[in-house]
Amino acid sequence: MIDSTLPAPATTSLPPSRVMYRALTRRDPAYEGVFFAGVKTTGIFCRPTCRAKKPRAENVEFFPSASAALHDGYRPCRMCRPMDRVQPPPPVVARLLRLVEEDPTLRLTDKELRALAIDPSTARRQFRRYYGLTFQAYQRARRLGLALREVRAGRPVIDVQLEGGYESASGFREAFQRVFGKPPRGARADDCLLARRIDTPLGRMLALADGQGLRLLEFVDRRGLENEILRLRRRLHCAVVPGTNAALAAAEDQMRRYFAGEQLTFDLPLAPVGSPFQRQVWTALRRIAPGATRSYGQIAAEVGRPGAQRAVGRANGSNTLAIVVPCHRVIGSDGSLSGYGGGVWRKQRLLDHERAHAVQSTADSH
Ligand SMILES: [Zn+2]
């Protein structure tokens, strides 16, 4: 059961591609808000009704939300302004958008905004009211979206960019290196963390692994993802490069089976980086069966630290292996969902999914 007060993006409910493509070529206003169209050759996303010349079918991909298009590295079209509501944006909001587009890889700080005679708190409030998305979240989505373009099924996409004449081919590399670091000259792939994108019905995920095993698996719009990546790079003294290995291939395969409801448990080499206490908590999390939940207090007792709910909560929140280390199965002692790095709506969906399929597999075995 999904709490109707939770924002639940329609991540899986797009109409068939051919229907959307027809709506796009006819500029059908009935599809406004139903989908957004990303044009692969330009890196721009549009509303269905955009006046711009329509791309060929093979050059379009469809997204259920503007956020999903941003996270895939697209920027909003200047003609149909797919992020805008009916009212034109306040001037300060329009200015913020232009500033990001001048260099989407940057983080604009409050200090820099003030230097441009923009009051940061007013600007942030107006941006959020207008787009329903914070300015920080927008910048993050642009930065990470561009960086993740470079990681496509574990391969760099530089060749695809050159073929496609993408308007900012060099921008990918720059964005990528800002988020993932620059491998030292002569570095072998074995010295690096390999990055692969994994698509799931709840959104795109980023997976990082090296020879030791899986180091990170997170939804790409998770707040704090860039810091997690930075911490890993520092602790392991390495950069991240697009690539794949046995652990990443297995992770992708098992995630597919998990979301198909075929297999709710994982058998993967895991190598999360954390303190002994954090690792102890993460191990305890892996003992919670799919379909079940525990409270923070129960986990604290289980790791021999009764009463240490807060410390357990922090260790739970610093888990970097989403779903595989099921931190989403820990809830408040009153049964409330409490928080989740990937968004509480996802936590709810994961628990619903597991309850439905765990019951089914128990029934099957009788
Ligand atoms: Zn457009």
Side-chain angles (χ1 to χ4, degrees):
M1 189 180 59
I2 293 168
D3 182 344
S4 59
T5 60
L6 298 173
T11 38
T12 54
S13 60
L14 281 172
S17 300
R18 110 196 106 66
V19 173
M20 291 188 285
Y21 187 70
R22 201 186 315 130
L24 185 68
T25 51
R26 292 180 181 172
R27 301 188 168 87
D28 187 343
Y31 286 82
E32 271 294 318
V34 174
F35 71 82
F36 295 87
V39 184
K40 293 178 197 166
T41 45
T42 58
I44 291 170
F45 76 98
C46 288
R47 299 170 184 276
T49 52
C50 184
R51 288 177 289 111
K53 187 168 163 285
K54 298 299 181 179
R56 290 145 63 121
E58 67 266 28
N59 291 329
V60 186
E61 52 188 327
F62 297 101
F63 299 97
S65 66
S67 169
L70 289 168
H71 277 102
D72 210 32
Y74 287 94
R75 74 158 172 82
C77 170
R78 293 197 183 96
M79 222 188 277
C80 64
R81 304 159 71 117
M83 304 274 299
D84 295 9
R85 310 285 182 79
V86 183
Q87 298 288 319
V92 68
V93 171
R95 207 168 150 213
L96 287 181
L97 273 191
R98 280 197 305 275
L99 282 169
V100 173
E101 285 319 313
E102 280 167 20
D103 185 355
T105 68
L106 285 183
R107 269 169 229 252
L108 280 166
T109 63
D110 285 2
K111 200 176 153 197
E112 285 161 333
L113 291 180
R114 273 192 291 268
L116 295 162
I118 297 173
D119 173 47
S121 66
T122 309
R124 271 201 304 266
R125 215 171 303 129
Q126 292 204 3
F127 195 96
R128 176 157 208 178
R129 192 180 311 144
Y130 190 73
Y131 289 124
L133 180 77
T134 67
F135 182 52
Q136 276 158 317
Y138 179 78
Q139 290 194 82
R140 204 161 58 223
R142 285 293 283 139
R143 215 163 43 228
L144 269 170
L146 285 173
L148 285 163
R149 281 243 131 187
E150 187 65 9
V151 184
R152 189 154 265 199
R155 280 197 322 274
V157 288
I158 190 80
D159 307 340
V160 183
Q161 295 157 19
L162 294 177
E163 277 167 32
Y166 200 103
E167 71 171 12
S168 62
S170 63
F172 292 139
R173 271 290 146 88
E174 206 182 47
F176 183 87
Q177 289 180 354
R178 251 180 233 263
V179 174
F180 293 110
K182 191 175 179 175
R185 235 170 223 293
R188 294 169 311 139
D190 312 6
D191 304 328
C192 297
L193 272 169
L194 301 174
R196 186 181 177 109
R197 302 189 324 197
I198 297 179
D199 287 317
T200 80
L202 294 187
R204 174 162 295 159
M205 300 185 85
L206 171 70
L208 302 180
D210 57 15
Q212 304 293 305
L214 198 60
R215 301 280 194 185
L216 178 140
L217 179 66
E218 292 282 20
F219 287 102
V220 300
D221 57 4
R222 184 211 205 289
R223 199 184 309 152
L225 174 57
E226 285 165 290
N227 284 333
E228 286 184 354
I229 296 168
L230 189 63
R231 260 197 304 272
L232 268 183
R233 280 168 47 199
R234 286 197 179 137
R235 288 285 292 273
L236 302 170
H237 304 288
C238 67
V240 179
V241 295
T244 195
N245 64 13
L248 290 171
E252 180 164 32
D253 184 52
Q254 292 182 28
M255 288 305 280
R256 188 190 52 72
R257 293 170 57 89
Y258 170 86
F259 279 105
E262 295 165 10
Q263 171 94 47
L264 298 179
T265 54
F266 295 88
D267 178 18
L268 294 168
L270 304 184
V273 172
S275 69
F277 177 69
Q278 285 174 323
R279 289 206 303 270
Q280 216 184 336
V281 170
W282 298 337
T283 304
L285 298 180
R286 296 187 62 208
R287 287 196 291 262
I288 312 173
T293 54
R294 294 280 183 280
S295 70
Y296 295 95
Q298 285 172 317
I299 300 292
E302 205 171 308
V303 298
R305 294 269 301 273
Q309 285 93 316
R310 277 171 188 281
V312 165
R314 278 194 301 275
N316 200 59
S318 54
N319 169 37
T320 58
L321 294 170
I323 302 178
V324 173
V325 173
C327 57
H328 61 278
R329 292 181 199 148
V330 184
I331 61 175
S333 53
D334 58 355
S336 67
L337 283 182
S338 184
Y340 189 56
V344 172
W345 69 271
R346 280 201 181 100
K347 186 172 187 171
Q348 179 76 67
R349 295 268 185 104
L350 291 170
L351 292 175
D352 290 346
H353 175 71
E354 291 176 357
R355 274 185 207 120
H357 293 280
V359 168
Q360 208 170 30
S361 59
T362 317
D364 286 349
S365 64
H366 288 292

